Amino acid sequence: MLIKADLNELVFRARNKEYGAYQLRKMYQRSTLLGVFISMVVLTLATLSPKIYEALKSKEEEVNAPKRKIAYADLAEPPPINEDQPPPPPPTQALPPPPQRAAIRFVPPDVVKDEDVKEEIEFVNQDTLQKTNIQIGKETVEGDPFANSDGLDDGEGVVEVQPELREPEPQEPDIDAFVAVEKEPAPVNMDALKKSMGYPPIAREANIQGSVVVRVLVDKFGNYSKHKVLRSPHQSLTKVVEDNIKMLKFTPGIQAGKPIPCWVTVPVRFSLNN
């Protein structure tokens, strides 16, 4: 015969069940489960309460938002469309005639006797034609040497003289851009510069020494163009360098075998031990 006995019954078989411990042990499991359930509910509400509050607040704002009033104005009816009337012509404006291009009269050679010459004709040499953009035509015409040739009468002997092509001047490089050069500019009279500057008395008395680092733009001829001081240990050293940096000469920077303008960093050292 199988007898099922509760653990609490076995523990309190010979003890006083009315004291209270028996009831506490009987209710322990149910109280524990109830406490866990209540804790989970409270934690869930605490986590979701901000979102619930935002949702309720936005809903309340939508309900309490002021409604816009739209006023309708009574407009008159549009005029009837006359389909028989043709549309107005587009506005026209007369274009100005193209500028007249300058030309030089082309005179074919003709051998005649001196007494048969009726007028003196001035011939234009090749040097004059190469230095101008004037074309050759049947008659001498005064006008714009760079105008279009549409205004001239085309005919035999009309020759276009092309303008002289010149190599564009190199643009000033950016101070922070990297320029690949075969040979960077190098100062050639740094000793003369230092001798001209000397040592500022204020810096010498204050025992200030160090290097003034200057970024110098050198043109394609090796001359100073402009500068920018990158760092300096003292204002007195900066001033004496900026007052004399223009006398510095360089070897030009070389790129693809040609001199180009280029930025170069020049440190000017001031030392009290020298």
Side-chain angles (χ1 to χ4, degrees):
M1 181 177 181
L2 182 62
I3 300 174
K4 294 183 179 180
D6 189 2
L7 180 61
N8 295 327
E9 296 292 339
L10 294 176
V11 172
F12 288 91
R13 182 177 55 182
R15 298 180 181 180
N16 185 10
K17 295 182 180 181
E18 302 297 334
Y19 184 71
Y22 177 77
Q23 286 79 7
L24 291 177
R25 290 180 68 93
K26 292 282 287 183
M27 298 173 59
Y28 175 76
Q29 186 175 4
R30 186 178 62 179
S31 300
T32 302
L33 293 177
L34 181 60
V36 171
F37 175 75
I38 294 175
S39 299
M40 292 179 64
V41 172
V42 172
L43 181 62
T44 304
L45 291 177
T47 305
L48 299 179
S49 59
K51 296 183 179 179
I52 297 174
Y53 174 75
E54 292 293 336
L56 295 177
K57 183 178 180 181
S58 60
K59 192 71 176 179
E60 183 180 357
E61 290 178 354
E62 292 180 1
V63 173
N64 298 332
K67 298 181 180 181
R68 294 183 300 173
K69 296 182 179 181
I70 302 176
Y72 295 94
D74 295 333
L75 302 178
E77 295 184 0
I81 300 175
N82 188 1
E83 298 180 355
D84 298 335
Q85 183 178 1
T92 57
Q93 183 177 4
L95 298 177
Q100 186 73 20
R101 186 173 181 181
I104 298 177
R105 178 184 177 186
F106 173 74
V107 181
D110 188 13
V111 180
V112 296
K113 296 180 180 181
D114 293 342
E115 56 270 15
D116 296 337
V117 177
K118 298 182 180 180
E119 59 178 344
E120 294 292 337
I121 300 175
E122 181 180 358
F123 293 92
V124 181
N125 54 25
Q126 293 294 325
D127 293 338
T128 304
L129 292 177
Q130 292 179 359
K131 294 179 181 178
T132 62
N133 195 32
I134 301 175
Q135 67 178 1
I136 301 174
K138 294 182 179 180
E139 299 293 338
T140 300
V141 179
E142 294 183 359
D144 186 1
F146 297 99
N148 238 337
S149 60
D150 297 340
L152 294 177
D153 184 15
D154 296 335
E156 296 182 1
V158 177
V159 180
E160 292 285 343
V161 180
Q162 298 295 333
E164 182 181 358
L165 298 179
R166 297 182 179 179
E167 185 178 356
E169 290 293 332
Q171 297 182 355
E172 178 181 319
D174 187 4
I175 188 173
D176 298 324
F178 172 75
V179 180
V181 293
E182 301 169 7
K183 184 178 180 182
E184 291 188 355
V188 297
N189 60 337
M190 180 61 75
D191 294 338
L193 175 67
K194 292 182 178 179
K195 185 177 180 180
S196 175
M197 290 189 302
Y199 211 109
I202 298 177
R204 184 181 295 276
E205 294 175 1
N207 294 327
I208 298 173
Q209 59 182 354
S211 296
V212 179
V213 182
V214 186
R215 191 80 168 158
V216 180
L217 176 61
V218 183
D219 64 11
K220 64 179 181 179
F221 301 106
N223 299 321
Y224 163 92
S225 294
K226 61 170 64 173
H227 75 276
K228 180 181 180 181
V229 178
L230 300 183
R231 62 179 181 271
S232 174
H234 194 264
Q235 186 177 1
S236 60
L237 302 181
T238 303
K239 185 178 185 307
V240 71
V241 170
E242 289 190 310
D243 291 344
N244 296 271
I245 194 67
K246 295 181 181 179
M247 66 176 292
L248 199 58
K249 300 293 183 182
F250 299 83
T251 58
I254 303 299
Q255 184 185 68
K258 297 181 179 180
I260 61 168
C262 183
W263 285 94
V264 63
T265 302
V266 179
V268 183
R269 174 69 180 171
F270 289 88
S271 178
L272 295 172
N273 298 327
N274 295 339

